[in-house]
Amino acid sequence: MAEIKSCNVLLKGPTTTPSKGDGLPNLESANVTMRRELDLFANVRPVKVPEKGIDWTFFRENTEGSYAVGSQGINVTDDLAVDFCIHTTGGCERIARAAFEFAKNNGKKRVSAVTKANIIKTTDGKFLDICKKVAEDYPDITLDSWYVDIMTANLINEDIRSSFEVFVLPNLYGDIITDEAAQIQGGVGTAGSSNLGKKYAMFEAIHGSAPRMVEEGIAEYANPSSILKAAEMMLRHIGFTDKANLLDAALTICADKEKKVVVTGNKDGATTKEFAAYVMETIEKM
């Protein structure tokens, strides 16, 4: 952690968090730890599918919610287990404001808050109430509210999904919904993300470490597009816009247009190394 804190900008690869039943220690997620230690409160995940009219940006609260103390639940009895969901006024306010500021600065006119405030009235209700309060400072931007279950349906509803622009969500819902959105784009292997705070910024693939692929002996066939997209976002964040544009354009050509080298995630497709070489060759030709 001391070494990590010596840098303001980080590019992080996927890590594995032991699950219940793995026979491994009850370790907290390295991602959760870093987000909390570095106060990376905003997880920003863009998803674009131009041919379908999709241009979404998700602002997922990154340090609170159901993940804040996710490894510290209590087995009250053999029959009763309790976990915790934590929302603070400051935590909700800053993620809501980050979403509205992004909308204002990028010509967006709609922010959609996603909760389950009809059922989880205390924490989700607080999140939604604060989003509404922040929205008062942005009269040119419309805030609408959706429950997380119907939003999972909305993202695949071709009649309305292209009307969404910016989303703001608590931690758990943001994790789930953005994976669905990435799948619409082409899979979790295609999407990058940024984790932003006031001092630090960490960029990463949105997917995990693919233990299934490792167990099946096909790890070398994993799609590197997500971490490359994260690198593009990092380059843009630190001001290397021209290089970020090159990488973005190359990924579009390689993954969406030419498709001379195709990664499938199985042995019938290209390897990680082959696809990465294809991207680099494409950049060199530009």
Side-chain angles (χ1 to χ4, degrees):
M1 187 59 69
E3 187 68 20
I4 287 171
K5 287 182 176 180
S6 69
C7 297
N8 293 100
V9 180
L10 306 156
L11 180 65
K12 186 196 125 316
T15 57
T16 297
T17 304
S19 297
K20 182 73 173 178
D22 283 351
L24 298 172
N26 180 22
L27 299 176
E28 183 177 50
S29 161
N31 272 359
V32 171
T33 300
M34 281 188 282
R35 289 166 183 167
R36 184 180 63 246
E37 288 285 332
L38 304 178
D39 198 24
L40 303 172
F41 67 89
N43 183 214
V44 185
R45 297 182 172 185
V47 168
K48 291 185 179 181
V49 189
E51 63 272 20
K52 296 181 180 179
I54 292 172
D55 185 359
W56 299 328
T57 305
F58 296 86
F59 280 77
R60 167 193 173 192
E61 200 291 315
N62 218 17
T63 59
E64 299 187 343
S66 301
Y67 292 5
V69 286
S71 62
Q72 300 176 38
I74 298 173
N75 288 302
V76 180
T77 69
D78 289 343
D79 296 318
L80 176 62
V82 177
D83 273 311
F84 304 96
C85 183
I86 297 171
H87 283 169
T88 67
T89 297
C92 296
E93 195 276 339
R94 64 183 182 176
I95 190 64
R97 196 162 298 280
F100 275 93
E101 281 293 308
F102 173 86
K104 183 182 75 171
N105 295 332
N106 290 273
K108 307 297 184 180
K109 298 299 182 183
R110 182 181 186 185
V111 173
S112 302
V114 181
T115 68
K116 193 64 177 171
N118 59 328
I119 303 297
I120 305 175
K121 296 182 185 295
T122 303
T123 50
D124 280 25
K126 182 180 187 67
F127 188 93
L128 181 56
D129 285 344
I130 291 176
C131 285
K132 291 177 179 178
K133 184 176 180 181
V134 170
E136 294 173 2
D137 296 333
Y138 301 85
D140 295 331
I141 299 170
T142 299
L143 172 71
D144 53 336
S145 169
W146 299 85
Y147 299 135
V148 62
D149 43 358
I150 193 61
M151 184 54 76
T152 63
N154 287 340
L155 294 190
I156 59 172
N157 183 341
E158 296 181 359
D159 293 333
I160 67 170
R161 66 183 181 183
S162 61
S163 66
F164 292 108
E165 296 182 320
V166 180
F167 301 79
V168 60
L169 318 87
N171 206 335
L172 175 60
Y173 308 146
D175 193 1
I176 296 168
I177 288 287
T178 54
D179 275 12
E180 182 194 11
Q183 192 65 35
I184 294 168
Q185 180 177 256
V188 293
T190 68
S193 69
S194 58
N195 300 269
L196 306 177
K198 293 185 177 180
K199 182 176 181 181
Y200 298 99
M202 181 174 76
F203 299 83
E204 62 180 342
I206 76 165
H207 57 69
S209 56
R212 175 192 62 80
M213 297 185 73
V214 175
E215 290 170 2
E216 295 177 5
I218 56 173
E220 64 182 311
Y221 296 93
N223 192 336
S225 294
S226 186
I227 195 69
L228 291 172
K229 182 64 178 176
E232 179 259 309
M233 295 172 70
M234 182 185 71
L235 289 169
R236 201 173 301 283
H237 178 78
I238 60 177
F240 287 86
T241 305
D242 291 344
K243 290 181 172 59
N245 289 341
L246 277 175
L247 182 52
D248 184 39
L251 284 170
T252 298
I253 291 170
C254 295
D256 299 327
K257 294 182 179 179
E258 285 185 353
K259 297 183 180 181
K260 293 180 180 179
V261 177
V262 178
V263 178
T264 65
N266 290 295
K267 291 182 179 180
D268 62 351
T271 66
T272 305
K273 182 180 290 186
E274 289 168 342
F275 183 80
Y278 176 36
V279 173
M280 293 306 298
E281 290 166 4
T282 302
I283 291 174
E284 290 170 359
K285 294 176 182 176
M286 290 179 172

